[in-house]
Amino acid sequence: MKYLATLLIVLSSFVVKAQLNSDKLIGTWELSEFSYNGNNVVPQIHGIKRYKLYTPTHFTVLEINLQTKVITTSFLGTYTLIDSNYAERIIYSSGPQVKAGGNYLAKVSFDNEDTMVMVAKLNGLPMDERWKKAKSDPFDTTSK
């Protein structure tokens, strides 16, 4: 019984720690820039806005074409964040570039409450994403 109580206390501390870190993610984030294999991209210059919306257990990604105001890419899934270790599993994807059933691992850091960095390897190549908390409606494509 003593060991069971100790185990429950230890496990609950991991859940609380994971939840505290996940609280920083909850809300809507806009991708401000990213680098894939050393090639830097600023989404707005390429005519898109990409948003990532987080609940306590799930996320959704929407990519909006700024010219047509149409969602061109969407995918969603579940995630966990423990310390700086981020893992997500894709449940649904609207296109071939992101596959349902895929897993994605990254290191996450927060510069402050409004900026986040995700560093990972995608297809074996380095990727670095810079996100900022969205201040406006994700479907308002007029603000930059």
Side-chain angles (χ1 to χ4, degrees):
M1 186 65 166
K2 179 179 173 183
Y3 296 111
L4 180 59
T6 302
L7 179 62
L8 289 174
I9 290 170
V10 169
L11 290 176
S12 67
S13 70
F14 286 122
V15 171
V16 170
K17 190 173 198 178
Q19 183 62 39
L20 289 174
N21 287 336
S22 296
D23 286 349
K24 292 179 182 180
L25 284 177
I26 295 172
T28 302
W29 294 83
E30 181 181 345
L31 184 63
S32 56
E33 67 178 292
F34 68 94
S35 172
Y36 179 64
N37 197 26
N39 298 315
N40 291 330
V41 176
V42 176
Q44 285 84 351
I45 291 174
H46 294 304
I48 62 169
K49 278 193 173 189
R50 179 175 278 191
Y51 291 95
K52 199 163 195 175
L53 297 80
Y54 284 100
T55 71
T57 57
H58 290 74
F59 71 92
T60 300
V61 173
L62 301 172
E63 189 170 279
I64 302 168
N65 179 305
L66 293 175
Q67 186 175 26
T68 63
K69 299 182 181 178
V70 171
I71 295 173
T72 57
T73 302
S74 65
F75 54 96
L76 59 95
T78 59
Y79 76 93
T80 59
L81 177 61
I82 300 173
D83 295 326
S84 64
N85 299 308
Y86 176 85
E88 66 183 33
R89 178 156 175 77
I90 309 299
I91 297 172
Y92 166 82
S93 175
S94 67
Q97 63 273 40
V98 178
K99 295 185 192 270
N103 295 305
Y104 172 74
L105 303 173
K107 291 288 185 184
V108 173
S109 62
F110 296 91
D111 293 338
N112 57 48
E113 293 296 316
D114 293 338
T115 58
M116 171 178 58
V117 177
M118 293 183 126
V119 178
K121 289 221 182 239
L122 187 62
N123 300 322
L125 300 172
M127 184 180 73
D128 182 322
E129 295 178 332
R130 308 290 167 146
W131 296 86
K132 62 182 179 178
K133 271 284 179 130
K135 303 290 186 206
S136 64
D137 181 348
F139 295 97
D140 176 10
T141 58
T142 59
S143 63
K144 293 189 179 187

